[in-house]
């Protein structure tokens, strides 16, 4: 076919800014569905911007193991 396949699927190589991402972008992170995306946004609105990625583990319903997976994969950052 002549098409070159990327080394990683786009969804795996995209970075998500935890401080600006909307629900759809947050749901590209492993372990995040609609409810966890809403929880991240609600927490951000109530408490302000995340200072570090690991601060997302303070959000009710977001396990530290899930946040560690984002960090290990370089999938999330904070602006």
């Amino acid at each position: 076919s002549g098409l070159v396949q990327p080394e990683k699927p786009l969804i795996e190589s995209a970075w998500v800014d935890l401080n600006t991402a909307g629900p759809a972008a947050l749901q590209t992170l492993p372990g995040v569905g609609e409810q966890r995306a809403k929880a991240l946004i609600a927490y951000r609105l109530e408490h302000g911007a995340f200072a570090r990625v690991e601060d997302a583990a303070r959000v009710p319903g977001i396990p530290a193991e899930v946040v560690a997976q984002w960090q290990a994969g370089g999938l999330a950052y904070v602006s």
Side-chain angles (χ1 to χ4, degrees):
S1 65
L3 294 176
V4 176
Q5 292 295 318
E7 290 181 29
K8 288 183 165 184
L10 181 61
I11 197 165
E12 285 184 21
S13 60
W15 284 14
V16 175
D17 184 342
L18 296 179
N19 287 326
T20 62
L26 289 169
Q27 289 179 59
T28 67
L29 292 169
V32 179
E34 185 177 349
Q35 292 306 312
R36 285 183 174 169
K38 286 180 181 179
L40 282 161
I41 292 169
Y43 188 92
R44 186 172 75 199
L45 290 172
E46 184 176 340
H47 299 279
F50 294 104
R52 305 171 305 162
V53 172
E54 51 265 34
D55 291 344
R58 296 179 183 165
V59 177
I62 308 285
E65 298 79 26
V66 168
V67 177
Q69 188 178 0
W70 306 341
Q71 290 179 290
L75 301 175
Y77 71 101
V78 294
S79 58

